[in-house]
């Protein structure tokens, strides 16, 4: 189920601001294809997270080949105040293909793709995305990875799969 805007998602007595879409793998396996969605003016556009050793396999946007022609089935994450896409969790595994999406934050302060994990094994292929921000925007791709194993492929050295990361107030890519 998707949380309502202003719902107390974590039951801490504070109404959480909007996370437009959230997928959690809690002690199990979740497979998700997320395409052709738009999130505008939410705190977090899409959150993918694990807990209790869960495994999350996600495709976020994709370039499909239809009759020999590339067709973009992508998402638009616009003016998100915390992140367009957030990979998060404590223990577990996240495998994500993040391909061909638009993360546009000309006035918002959030990150394009935010990664905050503890003891999570993360594999992320980040290809063909446009990640743009204004002077108040945080980094394009970044966050904090504590423990676990991480493999990030950001572009693959070819022009065809390059990401465009531009205009962010902070680093284009910044991982701790």
């Amino acid at each position: 189920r998707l949380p309502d805007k202003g719902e107390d998602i974590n039951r801490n007595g504070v109404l959480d601001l909007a996370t437009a879409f959230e997928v959690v793998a809690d002690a199990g396996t979740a497979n998700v294809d997320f395409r052709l969605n738009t999130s505008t003016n939410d705190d977090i556009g899409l959150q993918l997270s694990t807990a209790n050793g869960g495994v999350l396999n996600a495709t976020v946007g994709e370039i499909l080949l239809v009759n020999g022609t590339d067709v973009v089935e992508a998402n638009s994450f616009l003016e998100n105040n915390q992140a367009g896409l957030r990979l998060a969790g404590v223990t577990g595994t996240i495998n994500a293909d993040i391909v061909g999406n638009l993360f546009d934050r000309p006035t918002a302060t959030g990150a394009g793709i935010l990664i905050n994990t503890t003891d999570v094994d993360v594999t992320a292929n980040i290809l063909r995305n446009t990640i743009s921000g204004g002077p108040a925007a945080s980094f394009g791709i970044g966050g904090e990875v504590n423990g676990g194993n991480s493999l990030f492929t950001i572009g693959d050295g070819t022009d065809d799969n390059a990401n465009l990361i531009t205009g962010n107030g902070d680093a284009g890519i910044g991982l701790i």
Side-chain angles (χ1 to χ4, degrees):
R1 137 182 129 70
L2 298 177
D4 295 324
K5 292 185 180 196
E7 180 179 351
D8 183 7
I9 297 168
N10 56 11
R11 295 183 180 94
N12 66 355
V14 177
L15 295 181
D16 298 297
L17 296 177
T19 296
F21 304 98
E22 181 174 25
V23 178
V24 179
D26 187 353
T29 299
N31 299 303
V32 62
D33 289 326
F34 190 82
R35 298 187 190 107
L36 297 173
N37 294 285
T38 299
S39 165
T40 304
N41 294 319
D42 294 304
D43 277 347
I44 298 172
L46 170 62
Q47 178 163 303
L48 303 174
S49 60
T50 64
N52 300 313
V55 176
L56 179 59
N57 301 305
T59 300
V60 180
E62 188 173 36
I63 307 298
L64 301 176
L65 192 63
V66 177
N67 296 326
T69 304
D70 283 348
V71 176
V72 178
E73 291 202 354
N75 302 288
S76 296
F77 300 97
L78 310 173
E79 293 290 12
N80 300 111
N81 290 314
Q82 290 182 15
L85 169 63
R86 181 173 183 234
L87 304 178
V90 177
T91 72
T93 302
I94 297 174
N95 301 306
D97 290 318
I98 305 164
V99 182
N101 300 286
L102 171 64
F103 300 88
D104 190 21
R105 303 147 358 247
T107 62
T109 57
I113 300 172
L114 176 62
I115 303 159
N116 288 118
T117 59
T118 300
D119 297 328
V120 175
D121 294 334
V122 180
T123 301
N125 296 308
I126 303 171
L127 308 168
R128 295 187 187 179
N129 297 285
T130 298
I131 305 170
S132 60
S138 183
F139 43 79
I141 302 169
E144 192 168 337
V145 177
N146 296 295
N149 297 299
S150 299
L151 175 61
F152 299 103
T153 302
I154 301 173
D156 68 357
T158 67
D159 289 343
D160 290 343
N161 286 321
N163 296 287
L164 175 62
I165 303 173
T166 183
N168 296 284
D170 206 339
I173 301 172
L175 286 167
I176 299 172

